[in-house]
Amino acid sequence: MTLQEIADRLGCVLAGDPSLDIGRVAGLQDAGPGDLTFLSNPKYLDQLPATRASAVILGRDVAHAPPPGCAALRCGNPYVAFARAVGFFTSGAPPARGVDRLSAVAADALVGPDVSVGAFVTIGPRAAVGARTIIYPNVVVGAGARIGDDCVIHSHCSIRDGVAIGHRVILQSGVIVGGDGFGFATDENGNHLKIPQHAHVVIEDDVEIGSNTTIDRPAVGETRVGAGTKIDNLVHVAHGVSIGRRVLIAAQVGIAGSAVIEDDVMMAGQSGVNGHIRVGRGARVGAKSAVLQSVEPGAFVTGHPAMDHTAWRKASVVFRQLPALKKRVEELEQRIAELEEKLANT
Amino acid sequence: MTLQEIADRLGCVLAGDPSLDIGRVAGLQDAGPGDLTFLSNPKYLDQLPATRASAVILGRDVAHAPPPGCAALRCGNPYVAFARAVGFFTSGAPPARGVDRLSAVAADALVGPDVSVGAFVTIGPRAAVGARTIIYPNVVVGAGARIGDDCVIHSHCSIRDGVAIGHRVILQSGVIVGGDGFGFATDENGNHLKIPQHAHVVIEDDVEIGSNTTIDRPAVGETRVGAGTKIDNLVHVAHGVSIGRRVLIAAQVGIAGSAVIEDDVMMAGQSGVNGHIRVGRGARVGAKSAVLQSVEPGAFVTGHPAMDHTAWRKASVVFRQLPALKKRVEELEQRIAELEEKLANT
Amino acid sequence: MTLQEIADRLGCVLAGDPSLDIGRVAGLQDAGPGDLTFLSNPKYLDQLPATRASAVILGRDVAHAPPPGCAALRCGNPYVAFARAVGFFTSGAPPARGVDRLSAVAADALVGPDVSVGAFVTIGPRAAVGARTIIYPNVVVGAGARIGDDCVIHSHCSIRDGVAIGHRVILQSGVIVGGDGFGFATDENGNHLKIPQHAHVVIEDDVEIGSNTTIDRPAVGETRVGAGTKIDNLVHVAHGVSIGRRVLIAAQVGIAGSAVIEDDVMMAGQSGVNGHIRVGRGARVGAKSAVLQSVEPGAFVTGHPAMDHTAWRKASVVFRQLPALKKRVEELEQRIAELEEKLANT
């Protein structure tokens, strides 16, 4: 693909040889001749002069200048342009169209046109799979589950009975949607009685869920993941949780039962949210934080328990100094005792 | 089902129309006409007057009164009654009785009467599956593994060679029992030599294990999960761990090698226990806590490192104030220096 | 096996009856007559006199003496000797040689000699599996993926398209290698645009990866796990991460995108590393720590944020005392105010 074609498709302003042939997209440091690279995070600005790429996607700030011999593609959001450019040069290899003869599709399941269903896939009674959806090998779709159009369900996913999945949803491998929530009532002898978990789970359109993440089913009500939300690997979403739209949830986050995560929230890796609380629209949760109480919309919280992020940072600085601070208090006690004695003697 | 039938089956005292037809169980806020709801956690007491349910399960405290037109079912433990009521109205759809023709059952495996074995299930040589046990699609039961009666093994579980599973055990999807423990001996060159992990794993009766949880096998001795214990999703139980009876372990907990968790312990989400230590009977571990030393029976610990829960809460309050506290110490140093100077000059 | 044979194979010095028959290896407390045990961690020294084992592997310190009637096998590294001795007495039961007739192997896949491929395994187009490699049931090997010689791939692993796996690699059950990294570019409307993740993932020789761990694929560059590295269960390795050689990563660790973990690093359970930072050669990360900035080679860091381990331990001690420390500051303020008043009046 020529640089001009790439510039046109990305809507970038090109400064450089428009006939240059580009073969792939690569990182600033790894790129060589024939490669397109990008600079989005200013943190990597000092790597820009040394790149060996043939072209670089940049923002509009002319202070960010490519080295001699490297063309520039300028636009408002270089990261979005990079995301699209990657798609020009790479593509997966989905299983062949059609339903593999080594699958087990129930007689009364509805399978849409132009699907790909791999080997050892089970599609249960009354389940439905939409048009053009790709199901990789060894996936289990339970009885009555529904999957929309243009979805990609990778190997080893379990979509349990009755789960509803929208259009253009991507499940990475090993995702489990609709496993039983962790609900028990403890009797007078301390035995834990299972509360049957048979209510609804809804995954809305354009959601992506990472490898081995688990989304549980509640006893009553529903568990819901809103449209456009993206969830990373090994995340736990408990029964009855409601996640809004365009939420970003990084790896190994845990969200306890019946919590509400509003639209546009961002949760960093290994953080957790208590049950029955609310994280307000657009709020951010720092890495490894434990959110024990509801969070206001737009807030940024960190720590265990989670508090205002800036307050946490400042308190963390003093935390390191605690042994010294304690010593200073001890010295003060010494000095004040001496003063008191002196004063008593005068 | 009429309200009278429900009251009789739950052993509740009914105040309301005994002939009322109930169609499902729902949460306080979601319930409408024809629904049965419940109040167990007093936190939700203020939602009670606004419920649109036809009937509500309540405790014996008459101060908790349903709104007009809503019947009351009173009993000693409304949460247990709710758990049982949910079961009256919902039911899963297990795979059909029998062994699916697309499974791979070893010739010398013992499969009990009235089992359901789904498609693409492997049951290895000398393995045994008890009566009425349900095995969902794509489960692997290793050589010599034993599963008791009336178990439910959901899709994609791996029950590795020789693992012993009791009666009425429920494994949610993706559970791995008997994977090799993380055991290596490091030689003088820094290379890590694998210690073969081929000893026993025992899951006792009435245990439930959540989606994608992993329970490892040790080199010597055994890993054991005691009767009636319930484990949530994405939990790690290392090799040689011993978990007692009726323990509750929430999602994403990690328990390191050879730790002992005694009966009736409760561990909140994302907490962790160090190797080779003991958490005493009935102890509680707070969310996201790191238990580095053994915990006394009945204690409640939180934090990193875990300490008495109340002490942790009080220290956490002061943590937020650390920058202010430091400033106060600086001011004290200033004031005392002034006093010392004044006193030196007198 | 006689004690003399064991001593010879382990290169240990034997003190005791060389003709003694040993039947298995067991822990110090569990061992009985006919068992071989070991003492490596001095923490368990007080269990040594009470062991009922017939023989014990010990270091060269003669102060560590077995009880009467128990033979001693002495060597420089008793833990390595134990690791090897375990292998003398236990062995797994791999699936039979050959390719199971219920598998789906692409016509153009290359399968080496003497492999074992279990039931319901998919091997995609152009994939390659090396000699003597064992693939347990329900594994999915994607298009173009390569697996070396003498590997063991346990049940339910997903080796996604194009992933490269070296020789003698062990994947425990449910491992996912090559799932899409969590990469999105957010447009001006707050929608998250997927960045296609189709670049390389390389697992070098002699790596072992624990159950349900996930290793992601990047958009550009590669994700790499170095030779001899061992990773425990439920670990998250994000896209573009580079892990060196002989690294030990305990359960539930998370490593964010493009982080570099150098050779011989040790990360304890539930710890996490921020994206785009470097953990230097031989560094140690304490349990549940959040590494937010790069770590020097050889350092030992703990805490959230991670800091020098000893400094963290000392600060943690004072953390517990914070309410008392605050009280002492208040008392100082009181006393100094009194002094100031007194002095003002003189």
Side-chain angles (χ1 to χ4, degrees):
Chain A
M1 201 176 288
T2 69
L3 211 46
Q4 188 63 58
E5 285 175 89
I6 295 170
D8 290 348
R9 287 180 68 176
L10 297 179
C12 289
V13 175
L14 169 61
D17 178 359
S19 68
L20 204 72
D21 252 333
I22 295 294
R24 62 163 198 162
V25 178
L28 267 176
Q29 288 188 303
D30 300 331
D35 292 349
L36 172 65
T37 188
F38 76 107
L39 175 72
S40 166
N41 188 339
K43 188 176 157 184
Y44 297 110
L45 182 53
D46 60 347
Q47 294 178 9
L48 182 56
T51 189
R52 297 167 52 246
S54 291
V56 57
I57 302 172
L58 293 168
R60 299 220 168 92
D61 182 350
V62 291
H64 298 178
C70 176
L73 292 166
R74 291 192 185 273
C75 62
N77 190 332
Y79 200 47
V80 165
F82 158 71
R84 295 177 55 209
V86 169
F88 302 163
F89 296 100
T90 65
S91 69
R97 282 281 159 82
V99 176
D100 196 288
R101 65 177 181 85
L102 293 171
S103 60
V105 180
D108 59 354
L110 289 171
V111 176
D114 297 324
V115 299
S116 300
V117 174
F120 313 126
V121 167
T122 303
I123 300 182
R126 300 175 313 285
V129 176
R132 296 170 303 281
T133 282
I134 297 168
I135 301 185
Y136 278 83
N138 289 68
V139 165
V140 178
V141 180
R146 284 173 295 129
I147 303 175
D149 299 337
D150 300 297
C151 292
V152 181
I153 312 296
H154 284 279
S155 46
H156 296 118
C157 287
S158 292
I159 298 168
R160 302 262 301 252
D161 295 358
V163 165
I165 290 184
H167 303 303
R168 299 173 303 281
V169 169
I170 300 173
L171 303 187
Q172 299 295 329
S173 299
V175 170
I176 297 167
V177 185
D180 287 1
F182 193 65
F184 300 91
T186 302
D187 71 13
E188 63 280 10
N189 301 315
N191 293 313
H192 310 301
L193 180 67
K194 182 175 177 68
I195 304 173
Q197 309 278 315
H198 289 131
H200 307 291
V201 181
V202 181
I203 310 294
E204 295 183 1
D205 296 346
D206 300 300
V207 166
E208 180 163 346
I209 302 180
S211 301
N212 280 344
T213 280
T214 65
I215 316 261
D216 276 2
R217 174 197 302 279
V220 297
E222 66 175 23
T223 304
R224 180 174 291 262
V225 178
T229 283
K230 312 295 182 184
I231 301 178
D232 200 351
N233 298 354
L234 294 167
V235 169
H236 165 68
V237 177
H239 50 169
V241 165
S242 174
I243 298 178
R245 295 166 166 242
R246 297 174 304 277
V247 171
L248 291 177
I249 297 179
Q252 296 175 317
V253 164
I255 303 177
S258 302
V260 177
I261 311 294
E262 294 186 352
D263 295 349
D264 302 304
V265 164
M266 293 175 62
M267 298 188 63
Q270 299 185 331
S271 59
V273 173
N274 210 349
H276 300 276
I277 66 172
R278 178 175 293 264
V279 179
R281 183 171 185 148
R284 289 175 63 190
V285 176
K288 228 182 185 74
S289 301
V291 180
L292 303 185
Q293 294 185 309
S294 289
V295 173
E296 291 296 305
F300 181 7
V301 298
T302 299
H304 178 207
M307 62 190 75
D308 172 72
H309 177 75
T310 305
W312 173 79
R313 270 209 309 159
K314 289 181 178 168
S316 295
V317 169
V318 184
F319 174 81
R320 287 166 198 249
Q321 307 163 343
L322 277 182
L325 190 69
K326 188 186 172 193
K327 209 167 186 181
R328 284 162 73 178
V329 171
E330 285 164 358
E331 284 166 3
L332 282 171
E333 287 169 333
Q334 182 77 28
R335 285 160 69 185
I336 212 161
E338 286 168 17
L339 283 185
E340 285 169 341
E341 196 184 325
K342 222 185 244 187
L343 222 56
N345 296 343
T346 57
Chain B
M1 202 177 286
T2 68
L3 211 46
Q4 188 63 58
E5 285 175 89
I6 296 169
D8 290 348
R9 287 179 68 176
L10 297 179
C12 289
V13 175
L14 168 63
D17 177 0
S19 68
L20 204 71
D21 251 336
I22 294 294
R24 62 164 198 161
V25 177
L28 267 175
Q29 288 188 302
D30 300 332
D35 292 351
L36 171 65
T37 189
F38 75 107
L39 175 72
S40 166
N41 188 338
K43 189 177 157 182
Y44 297 111
L45 182 54
D46 60 348
Q47 293 179 10
L48 181 57
T51 189
R52 296 166 53 245
S54 291
V56 56
I57 301 172
L58 293 169
R60 299 221 169 93
D61 182 349
V62 290
H64 298 178
C70 176
L73 292 165
R74 292 193 184 272
C75 61
N77 191 331
Y79 201 47
V80 166
F82 158 71
R84 294 177 57 208
V86 168
F88 301 164
F89 295 101
T90 65
S91 69
R97 284 279 160 83
V99 177
D100 195 287
R101 65 178 182 85
L102 293 171
S103 59
V105 180
D108 59 354
L110 288 172
V111 176
D114 297 323
V115 298
S116 300
V117 174
F120 313 125
V121 167
T122 302
I123 300 181
R126 301 176 312 284
V129 176
R132 296 169 304 280
T133 282
I134 297 168
I135 301 185
Y136 278 84
N138 289 68
V139 165
V140 178
V141 179
R146 285 173 295 128
I147 303 175
D149 300 336
D150 301 297
C151 292
V152 182
I153 312 296
H154 283 279
S155 45
H156 296 117
C157 286
S158 292
I159 297 167
R160 303 262 300 254
D161 295 0
V163 165
I165 291 184
H167 302 303
R168 297 172 305 279
V169 168
I170 300 173
L171 303 187
Q172 298 296 328
S173 299
V175 169
I176 298 167
V177 185
D180 286 2
F182 194 65
F184 301 91
T186 303
D187 71 14
E188 62 280 12
N189 301 314
N191 292 313
H192 309 301
L193 179 67
K194 182 175 176 71
I195 304 172
Q197 309 278 315
H198 288 131
H200 306 291
V201 182
V202 181
I203 310 293
E204 296 182 359
D205 297 344
D206 300 299
V207 166
E208 180 163 346
I209 302 180
S211 301
N212 280 344
T213 280
T214 65
I215 315 260
D216 277 2
R217 174 195 304 279
V220 297
E222 67 174 23
T223 304
R224 180 175 290 263
V225 178
T229 283
K230 313 295 182 182
I231 300 178
D232 202 352
N233 298 354
L234 293 166
V235 168
H236 166 68
V237 177
H239 50 170
V241 165
S242 174
I243 299 178
R245 296 168 166 240
R246 295 173 305 276
V247 171
L248 291 177
I249 297 179
Q252 296 173 317
V253 163
I255 303 176
S258 302
V260 177
I261 312 294
E262 295 185 350
D263 294 349
D264 303 303
V265 164
M266 293 175 63
M267 297 188 63
Q270 300 185 330
S271 58
V273 173
N274 211 349
H276 300 275
I277 65 172
R278 179 175 291 265
V279 179
R281 183 171 186 148
R284 289 175 63 190
V285 176
K288 228 183 184 71
S289 301
V291 180
L292 303 184
Q293 295 184 309
S294 289
V295 174
E296 290 297 304
F300 181 7
V301 297
T302 298
H304 177 206
M307 62 190 74
D308 172 72
H309 177 75
T310 304
W312 172 80
R313 269 210 309 158
K314 289 180 179 168
S316 296
V317 169
V318 184
F319 174 81
R320 287 166 198 248
Q321 307 163 345
L322 276 182
L325 190 68
K326 188 185 171 194
K327 210 168 185 180
R328 285 162 73 177
V329 170
E330 285 163 0
E331 285 168 2
L332 282 171
E333 287 169 332
Q334 183 75 28
R335 285 160 70 185
I336 212 161
E338 286 168 18
L339 282 187
E340 284 168 341
E341 197 186 322
K342 221 184 244 187
L343 222 55
N345 295 343
T346 56
Chain C
M1 202 176 287
T2 68
L3 211 46
Q4 188 62 58
E5 286 175 88
I6 296 170
D8 289 348
R9 288 179 68 176
L10 297 178
C12 288
V13 175
L14 170 61
D17 176 1
S19 68
L20 204 71
D21 252 334
I22 294 294
R24 62 163 199 165
V25 177
L28 267 175
Q29 288 188 304
D30 300 331
D35 293 349
L36 172 66
T37 189
F38 74 107
L39 176 73
S40 167
N41 187 338
K43 187 176 158 183
Y44 296 111
L45 182 54
D46 60 347
Q47 293 177 11
L48 181 56
T51 189
R52 297 167 52 246
S54 291
V56 57
I57 302 172
L58 293 168
R60 299 220 169 92
D61 182 349
V62 291
H64 298 178
C70 176
L73 293 165
R74 292 193 185 272
C75 61
N77 190 331
Y79 200 47
V80 165
F82 158 71
R84 296 177 55 209
V86 169
F88 301 163
F89 295 101
T90 64
S91 71
R97 282 279 159 83
V99 177
D100 196 288
R101 64 176 183 85
L102 293 172
S103 60
V105 180
D108 59 353
L110 289 171
V111 175
D114 297 325
V115 299
S116 300
V117 174
F120 314 125
V121 167
T122 302
I123 300 181
R126 301 176 311 286
V129 176
R132 296 170 302 280
T133 283
I134 297 168
I135 302 185
Y136 278 83
N138 290 67
V139 165
V140 178
V141 180
R146 285 173 295 129
I147 303 176
D149 300 336
D150 300 298
C151 293
V152 181
I153 313 296
H154 283 279
S155 46
H156 297 117
C157 286
S158 292
I159 297 167
R160 303 262 300 252
D161 295 359
V163 165
I165 290 185
H167 302 303
R168 298 173 303 280
V169 168
I170 300 174
L171 303 187
Q172 298 296 328
S173 299
V175 169
I176 297 167
V177 184
D180 287 3
F182 194 65
F184 301 90
T186 303
D187 71 14
E188 62 280 11
N189 301 315
N191 292 314
H192 310 301
L193 180 67
K194 181 174 177 72
I195 304 172
Q197 310 279 315
H198 289 132
H200 306 291
V201 182
V202 181
I203 309 294
E204 296 181 1
D205 297 344
D206 300 301
V207 167
E208 179 163 346
I209 302 181
S211 301
N212 281 342
T213 279
T214 66
I215 315 262
D216 276 4
R217 174 195 303 278
V220 298
E222 66 173 25
T223 305
R224 181 174 290 264
V225 178
T229 284
K230 312 295 182 184
I231 301 178
D232 201 352
N233 298 354
L234 294 166
V235 168
H236 165 69
V237 177
H239 50 168
V241 165
S242 175
I243 298 178
R245 296 168 166 241
R246 296 174 304 275
V247 171
L248 291 178
I249 297 179
Q252 296 174 318
V253 163
I255 303 176
S258 301
V260 177
I261 311 294
E262 296 185 351
D263 294 350
D264 302 304
V265 164
M266 292 175 63
M267 298 188 62
Q270 299 187 331
S271 59
V273 173
N274 210 349
H276 300 274
I277 65 172
R278 179 176 292 265
V279 178
R281 183 171 185 147
R284 288 176 64 190
V285 177
K288 229 185 184 73
S289 301
V291 180
L292 303 185
Q293 295 185 308
S294 288
V295 173
E296 291 297 305
F300 180 7
V301 298
T302 299
H304 178 208
M307 62 191 73
D308 171 72
H309 177 75
T310 304
W312 172 79
R313 268 210 309 159
K314 288 180 179 168
S316 295
V317 168
V318 184
F319 174 82
R320 288 165 197 249
Q321 307 163 345
L322 277 181
L325 190 68
K326 188 185 171 194
K327 210 168 185 179
R328 284 162 74 179
V329 171
E330 285 163 358
E331 285 167 4
L332 283 171
E333 287 169 334
Q334 182 75 29
R335 283 160 71 185
I336 211 161
E338 285 168 17
L339 284 186
E340 285 167 340
E341 198 186 322
K342 223 185 238 185
L343 223 55
N345 295 341
T346 57

